[in-house]
Amino acid sequence: MNNIIKKTLLTLVLLLSLSALLIYWHEADKEIRILCSMFYEGTSTDQVTQTLNTANLLVYDMVEAPNGQIALQADSPHNLYASECSVHFDENEKVIRAEYLRHFNLNGVLALTGSLLLLLLAGGQILLSMGRPYGEYFWGGYHKVLPTHLRIGSFISSLLLLFAMLVLIHQFQGIEFLTSDFPFSELNTFFAVLFLLSTLANANSENPKEMKLMTPVAALLFLAFLSAIFAI
């Protein structure tokens, strides 16, 4: 019992730490993107800096652009400078244009990775439901070939995993298998909680194969859906 509690607490601490870093990443990106959208042509340098001074997660600096004009660059260490706002001024220190640039899309990477993992897991569950001998990695690892009731469970699980994949794919603009009427925010929360619980369960699995393989997979899927929640 003590070993289970230790594993659960250690896993929770690790997941909470990664979750905090992920949330800060998204909040920093949002701050840069939203503030950058507030700088219209003709806005003065003082107004720009006053606006940026209200921010909590970004830093900025005045630099000289290649054309010799003054420019301001705002980014954040909280998302490892993965996005920036570049504001260009004329000789009268008025905004010419403001550009938001994203150098690395963490949410997109997590969504793509998570979607591929969900597709592989769904395929694995379908194979299990057909009687293939891969049961040592699923359902506690007690059966190499699943009995009938677990085969039915695997088939139902494959459908749920495929649906989760469609929800996660919605993060990609222009790719929509589900209509916008679906409650994606609630679905992302549901699957994030589901894979959080799955991570804790797999971390305490008595089967070493299941624990070593499925714990990081479930944790990554938890982070993918958590990212989808805060990327909105």
Side-chain angles (χ1 to χ4, degrees), residues 93-167:
E93 298 188 347
K94 300 291 185 181
V95 172
I96 301 173
R97 67 182 184 279
E99 299 174 322
Y100 166 77
L101 302 172
R102 178 180 285 165
H103 305 297
F104 179 75
N105 187 351
L106 178 62
N107 185 56
V109 171
L110 286 173
L112 177 60
T113 305
S115 298
L116 292 175
L117 286 175
L118 287 166
L119 181 61
L120 290 173
L121 288 175
Q125 292 289 0
I126 290 173
L127 291 175
L128 287 174
S129 70
M130 296 170 63
R132 297 301 174 89
Y134 307 126
E136 56 192 340
Y137 294 97
F138 300 88
W139 300 104
Y142 298 111
H143 308 278
K144 196 166 185 178
V145 177
L146 299 183
T148 302
H149 69 284
L150 287 182
R151 290 189 191 185
I152 296 172
S154 283
F155 180 73
I156 296 173
S157 295
S158 69
L159 298 179
L160 182 63
L161 291 167
L162 288 173
F163 179 68
M165 182 188 71
L166 295 180
V167 172

Side-chain angles (χ1 to χ4, degrees), residues 24-33 79 83 100 102:
Y24 266 99
W25 181 295
H26 282 300
E27 291 305 308
D29 181 70
K30 284 182 186 177
E31 194 171 73
I32 294 169
R33 175 165 42 86
N79 68 347
S83 57
Y100 166 77
R102 178 180 285 165

Side-chain angles (χ1 to χ4, degrees), residues 14-64:
L14 179 59
L15 288 177
L16 289 174
S17 300
L18 292 173
S19 299
L21 292 173
L22 181 63
I23 292 170
Y24 266 99
W25 181 295
H26 282 300
E27 291 305 308
D29 181 70
K30 284 182 186 177
E31 194 171 73
I32 294 169
R33 175 165 42 86
I34 292 172
L35 292 180
C36 198
S37 67
M38 299 171 64
F39 305 140
Y40 300 102
E41 185 176 351
T43 305
S44 68
T45 304
D46 289 340
Q47 288 175 305
V48 171
T49 55
Q50 286 174 11
T51 301
L52 292 177
N53 286 335
T54 65
N56 298 312
L57 301 175
L58 62 78
V59 293
Y60 67 88
D61 193 18
M62 302 295 292
V63 297
E64 185 175 341

